Amino acid sequence: MIAQRINGVLRPVPTGFVYAAGLVPLALLVWQAATGGLGVDPVKAIEHRLGELALQFLVGVLAISPLRWWTGVNLIRFRRAIGLLSFFYVCLHLSVWLALDLQFRWAEIGADIAKRPYITLGMLAFVAMIPLAVTSTNGAIRRMGASAWTRLHRLTYLVAVLGALHFLLLVKAWPPEPIIYLGCVLFLLGLRAFRALRRGG
Amino acid sequence: FARVEARPSRFSTDEKPNTFEEISNYNNFYEFGLDKADPARHAGALTVDPWSVEIAGLVERPGSYPLDDILKSVTLEERIYRLRCVEGWSMVVPWIGFELRELLERAGVRPAAKFVAFETLVRPEEMPGVRSRILDWPYREGLRLDEAMHPLTILATGLYGEEMPKQNGAPIRLVVPWKYGFKSIKSIVRISLVETMPATSWNMQNPREYGFYSNVNPAVDHPRWSQASERRIGSGFFAPRIETRLFNGYEEEVAHLYAGQDLKVDF
């Protein structure tokens, strides 16, 4: 009942609204950066915030199917926008790391990518997102066929795990946030495994 | 804050110090929370007066030394030091303090002592961070005796001509400028002279990543990130990174302490 009502309310919402809403945190970040609201080390604050937003949208993408299976609330129409927003924030996150943090010091950047597990995982996640973003159009789905497209987009699961591990391996000690993100990702993937097993058995 | 009189020091760098706002709003002091802004938010609750430091172990005159009494017998100097954090950022801080050596000599170091161990206050009702098990409290640090007696090693009780802000480790903290910042233990309540290398908090937490010495060294990377360069806090969005220097630029003063040691092994 409630699910149907929610679906009814969402039906007239254009996906453009999701894109616009997804850019609000960026606008806020720019405003904070311009007004000195990001504390003493704004570069790190921006870098972390962008990465965090990317992870949040990624978790959002993964939540859409389980939400539909178990509550009937259908957000599938917004999934592409949420996924692309995640990729957009990953691109910004990577750009800030390259340009403002490491300042195109390629020797250090190369060594970091090759030697630092958390950066290696983060780069892999970024690279794995590229085919997903490239095939995010209706035309791509048509050309590939629905089943091949669906198979390819299971890469999202890998991207989410890599992204969450990237965060976890970067911190000192064991603060709660990265553990919570990884927990969310594993929980949402676990729901899929649970459903697949139940259906298969 | 009360103004603190301090003499200038030949050990001060002429680099431009970070602002008081930067120094007192960007702190790793996990007893008050994990975020760098947490200490400034929560440390106000800390009671720093009265304060005494217990000096124990291999000393002639062990006991509880009231801070007022310690300060009567020392000469305060302003030491403008570079501070390099193991996380890859740095600042320049105009500390006020005195050489640790003065206090150790007052307590009388026995010949058997080889190391100095330090402990931070643990007071859960004033330190919200110690309720989490992020580190095994109390925060512990240590120095080899020759490092502790080195004139660059100070106990700081103020900065920018004023009493130490609580989030920076009031009322008394260690500053060892050639080592990563976490060695410079804050809000000290206990100093012990010991014979064997003491356990230190970050080494206990992750021995592969944080060694006992933790000298600043661009050639010895942290296992998870490079230590080749650093970002100077407060220098703006587009300020270039700074090449990290061996011993944080204090090579001339301290390199002899490590003659014959392989710094990749003794990291």
Side-chain angles (χ1 to χ4, degrees):
Chain A
M1 266 308 283
I2 297 169
Q4 275 166 7
R5 201 170 303 158
I6 294 172
N7 291 340
V9 170
L10 291 176
R11 199 157 297 126
V13 174
T15 53
F17 175 80
V18 176
Y19 286 107
L23 294 176
V24 169
L26 178 65
L28 195 66
L29 195 60
V30 171
W31 184 74
Q32 284 178 306
T35 57
L38 292 173
V40 166
D41 190 4
V43 171
K44 270 286 171 250
I46 292 170
E47 190 176 282
H48 286 172
R49 184 82 191 105
L50 291 171
E52 209 173 18
L53 283 164
L55 255 180
Q56 284 164 358
F57 283 109
L58 210 47
V59 169
V61 160
L62 290 185
I64 285 172
S65 286
L67 196 65
R68 187 168 59 100
W69 299 334
W70 278 291
T71 69
V73 173
N74 189 346
L75 304 176
I76 296 283
R77 208 158 54 84
F78 304 116
R79 189 163 61 182
R80 174 190 298 167
I82 299 172
L84 284 173
L85 281 165
S86 178
F87 181 66
F88 173 67
Y89 281 109
V90 164
C91 291
L92 289 181
H93 172 66
L94 178 63
S95 309
V96 168
W97 180 65
L98 291 174
L100 295 184
D101 191 345
L102 284 181
Q103 306 171 347
F104 305 116
R105 294 161 69 106
W106 293 109
E108 274 169 60
I109 290 167
D112 275 357
I113 293 172
K115 275 166 58 181
R116 321 279 170 213
Y118 83 92
I119 292 181
T120 313
L121 296 182
M123 283 306 287
L124 280 175
F126 166 70
V127 170
M129 281 179 112
I130 295 172
L132 302 181
V134 168
T135 59
S136 66
T137 60
N138 290 338
I141 302 175
R142 235 184 355 261
R143 276 193 303 279
M144 291 177 68
S147 77
W149 186 90
T150 304
R151 261 203 312 281
L152 175 69
H153 280 248
R154 289 204 183 113
L155 255 184
T156 309
Y157 307 157
L158 177 71
V159 169
V161 172
L162 291 173
L165 283 175
H166 165 68
F167 189 11
L168 186 72
L169 293 181
L170 125 89
V171 292
K172 291 199 300 186
W174 299 100
E177 290 86 358
I179 299 173
I180 291 168
Y181 282 109
L182 185 61
C184 286
V185 167
L186 294 180
F187 172 71
L188 292 168
L189 294 183
L191 288 178
R192 287 172 166 75
F194 171 73
R195 186 165 184 270
L197 283 174
R198 215 177 46 175
R199 295 185 127 203
Chain B
F1 290 119
R3 293 295 301 179
V4 178
E5 293 305 316
R7 293 195 318 205
S9 164
R10 67 188 174 95
F11 291 117
S12 286
T13 169
D14 51 14
E15 287 171 71
K16 186 172 168 282
N18 281 86
T19 65
F20 184 82
E21 282 62 38
E22 285 158 356
I23 295 168
S24 59
N25 285 288
Y26 197 73
N27 308 102
N28 281 324
F29 195 169
Y30 284 5
E31 285 83 341
F32 294 103
L34 296 180
D35 191 271
K36 288 187 177 54
D38 283 341
R41 272 197 285 268
H42 302 306
L46 180 68
T47 310
V48 296
D49 188 18
W51 193 277
S52 52
V53 178
E54 192 197 343
I55 304 185
L58 299 167
V59 286
E60 305 295 344
R61 291 169 288 281
S64 180
Y65 287 67
L67 183 60
D68 316 344
D69 181 53
I70 292 174
L71 289 176
K72 267 181 228 153
S73 68
V74 296
T75 322
L76 290 179
E77 287 189 0
E78 180 175 64
R79 298 280 180 107
I80 306 172
Y81 282 165
R82 289 177 290 277
L83 172 90
R84 170 61 154 84
C85 178
V86 73
E87 296 165 350
W89 53 266
S90 63
M91 287 192 188
V92 176
V93 185
W95 303 110
I96 288 177
F98 58 93
E99 291 177 12
L100 171 61
R101 179 171 61 174
E102 292 186 63
L103 181 61
L104 296 182
E105 280 167 0
R106 188 173 155 197
V109 179
R110 292 211 185 137
K114 297 284 179 290
F115 292 90
V116 188
F118 304 85
E119 280 179 22
T120 295
L121 176 76
V122 184
R123 195 179 285 156
E125 62 277 21
E126 293 181 0
M127 298 173 140
V130 301
R131 283 170 220 148
S132 83
R133 304 302 309 161
I134 214 91
L135 290 170
D136 185 2
W137 313 110
Y139 192 87
R140 279 161 263 218
E141 260 311 333
L143 295 172
R144 214 169 54 193
L145 188 61
D146 57 346
E147 298 174 326
M149 300 300 270
H150 193 281
L152 279 176
T153 304
I154 59 168
L155 287 172
T157 56
L159 64 83
Y160 260 116
E162 302 192 356
E163 283 172 24
M164 187 69 74
K166 292 175 179 177
Q167 60 269 35
N168 291 84
I172 185 164
R173 63 166 291 166
L174 185 69
V175 179
V176 193
W178 71 94
K179 292 175 180 281
Y180 293 118
F182 68 85
K183 294 291 294 180
S184 293
I185 183 170
K186 301 183 176 84
S187 303
I188 298 169
V189 291
R190 193 179 158 86
I191 299 176
S192 316
L193 279 289
V194 294
E195 202 168 349
T196 52
M197 187 180 279
T200 57
S201 286
W202 280 102
N203 181 255
M204 289 157 65
Q205 206 266 349
N206 194 337
R208 206 176 66 86
E209 298 190 354
Y210 307 100
F212 175 82
Y213 289 96
S214 290
N215 291 317
V216 176
N217 190 337
V220 178
D221 286 345
H222 184 281
R224 288 182 287 142
W225 53 82
S226 166
Q227 296 291 27
S229 62
E230 63 203 50
R231 281 180 325 108
R232 179 63 54 84
I233 296 298
S235 54
F237 277 106
F238 303 103
R241 291 180 77 95
I242 297 172
E243 306 290 335
T244 292
R245 290 149 75 191
L246 180 59
F247 301 117
N248 201 23
Y250 299 97
E251 184 177 1
E252 203 179 307
E253 290 88 352
V254 302
H256 67 274
L257 298 175
Y258 308 100
Q261 270 181 282
D262 182 348
L263 297 175
K264 285 197 163 65
V265 177
D266 297 334
F267 62 95

